[in-house]
Amino acid sequence: MATLFTPWRYEYIKRKAREDGCFFCAAAADCDDAERLVVFATSHHLVMLNRHPYTNGHLMVAPLAHLASPRDEEGAAAAELWPLVLAVQEVLADDLAPDGFNLGLNLGSAAGAGVPGHFHFHVVPRWSGDTNFMGVVAGVRIVPQALDDSCRRLRRGFARFAADPRFTPALALAEAGEGGGEGR
Ligand SMILES: [Zn+2]
């Protein structure tokens, strides 16, 4: 059975985010807030920038629901995960022209998952010789302005997938930096 995105579920996700302090759940509850760095969202998944990136353009694909593993997904959610990962790779290839990519999942604390209860697929663009850069950047908070710029540009990059039939209906996101929100 496909799981549908419903208002009661949205309320549940919001409550869960408050209770657990899970930042993927917090982002799922508030995709449009530019502060959350979400660049694309369907009815089942979101794509967001990593605030502590491995390299420039490091994106993560996560379910809106608090699920520990892709094996917990069913129906439409399960069907769109891989096409969505490839869509993320396509947008980054066009936007940043990297020399390569790391695509991957860390499931469970033993495997290095930072948020073990909420799985997230990493899509990391790589450049020849970027290892020194990574040593400097990994784990370091980059300037918010750079993240805002990336967020705005990538939201435009994902516009081509807004009506893509492979994905459940996309949630409309305003262009980052527009309109306000609560941004703190
Ligand atoms: Zn969560």
Side-chain angles (χ1 to χ4, degrees), residues 22 24-25 66 118:
C22 170
F24 289 105
C25 284
H66 190 81
H118 199 140

Side-chain angles (χ1 to χ4, degrees), residues 6-79:
T6 53
W8 63 262
R9 175 147 196 91
Y10 183 77
E11 286 307 314
Y12 167 78
I13 289 170
K14 276 213 285 206
R15 194 171 65 245
K16 190 101 181 90
R18 277 197 300 273
E19 287 167 1
D20 296 356
C22 170
F23 78 86
F24 289 105
C25 284
D30 212 3
C31 282
D32 202 34
D33 184 346
E35 187 74 8
R36 301 292 183 193
L37 302 177
V38 175
V39 297
F40 186 64
T42 70
S43 301
H44 293 293
H45 295 97
L46 58 81
V47 180
M48 67 189 291
L49 279 159
N50 191 322
R51 193 174 291 283
H52 305 282
Y54 201 58
T55 64
N56 186 28
H58 179 171
L59 289 174
M60 300 177 294
V61 180
L64 299 186
H66 190 81
L67 301 174
S69 166
R71 292 176 63 197
D72 299 330
E73 291 195 320
E74 298 179 325

Side-chain angles (χ1 to χ4, degrees), residues 33 178-183:
D33 184 346
E178 276 181 2
E182 291 175 13

Side-chain angles (χ1 to χ4, degrees), residues 133-147:
F133 174 72
M134 264 164 38
V136 174
V137 169
V140 175
R141 187 176 176 135
I142 64 171
V143 289
Q145 186 57 43
L147 285 169

